[in-house]
Amino acid sequence: YGDHRDLHSFPTRRSSDLMIETPSAAVLADQLAQEADFFSIGTNDLTQYALCMDRTNPALATRLDGLHPAVLRLIAQAAQGAASHGKWLGVCGAMASDPVAVPLLIGLGASELSVSPAVIPEIKAVVRRLSRLDCQTVAQAALQLTSAEIIRALVRKTWPWLDASTV
């Protein structure tokens, strides 16, 4: 028994993705992009680690907010690292399913959102109503703000229809 296949016909490198789930990975994204074909930002873990709060702790879980300026700045850093090497960027986790976060994620450079199946129609409707340029402008402004509440207010002021029960 021998395998007579030509070993040189096999690909030498497979497509690889990189999960950005820690602040250190976001900060080093420009270097990590040299080794990955695309990035996926896991916003649940990134938020937990950036804010040093255990999301499984009931006393802290309600205080976790992906729109916190520190989290948004880490997402921006990861997006810039990916873009500097022409890499695709996806976002998963609770933020990708949050209609208020979606314009910011698009504005920061997300190419794809991995959302909960139950909200796919709602998020698709949100995305269809957005302009990438407007999202970029608001995302850059949001990076200068000091709290998740102020960032959320900026997004809702810019796109008041996000508060409607049906988008």
Side-chain angles (χ1 to χ4, degrees):
Y1 295 86
D3 189 347
H4 300 292
R5 294 177 285 176
D6 180 3
L7 294 178
H8 297 291
S9 66
F10 289 100
T12 58
R13 185 175 180 276
R14 290 186 173 185
S15 174
S16 64
D17 71 330
L18 180 73
M19 288 296 298
I20 302 289
E21 295 183 316
T22 62
S24 60
V27 170
L28 295 175
D30 60 328
Q31 295 174 2
L32 296 171
Q34 297 172 32
E35 303 299 325
D37 295 311
F38 62 93
F39 282 1
S40 186
I41 298 176
T43 60
N44 294 345
D45 283 337
L46 184 62
T47 300
Q48 171 179 272
Y49 298 136
L51 302 180
C52 297
M53 291 185 194
D54 180 1
R55 70 178 184 229
T56 64
N57 181 331
L60 299 175
T62 59
R63 296 179 57 202
L64 284 172
D65 194 333
L67 294 183
H68 188 283
V71 177
L72 288 181
R73 286 182 181 204
L74 288 168
I75 291 170
Q77 242 181 319
Q80 290 166 358
S84 71
H85 292 278
K87 306 299 172 137
W88 170 91
L89 177 71
V91 177
C92 59
M95 283 183 73
S97 294
D98 177 357
V100 174
V102 166
L104 298 174
L105 296 173
I106 291 171
L108 292 174
S111 308
E112 181 178 296
L113 302 172
S114 178
V115 304
S116 302
V119 298
I120 289 173
E122 178 183 9
I123 297 303
K124 281 176 119 177
V126 168
V127 170
R128 286 185 182 126
R129 291 185 70 176
L130 298 171
S131 146
R132 183 175 295 278
L133 182 58
D134 290 344
C135 290
Q136 290 169 337
T137 300
V138 173
Q140 290 308 306
L143 292 175
Q144 305 310 311
L145 299 176
T146 58
S147 75
E149 294 79 19
I150 296 170
I151 292 168
R152 194 170 276 103
L154 171 65
V155 172
R156 288 184 170 137
K157 180 180 179 189
T158 306
W159 295 286
W161 49 265
L162 284 172
D163 281 329
S165 60
T166 58
V167 181

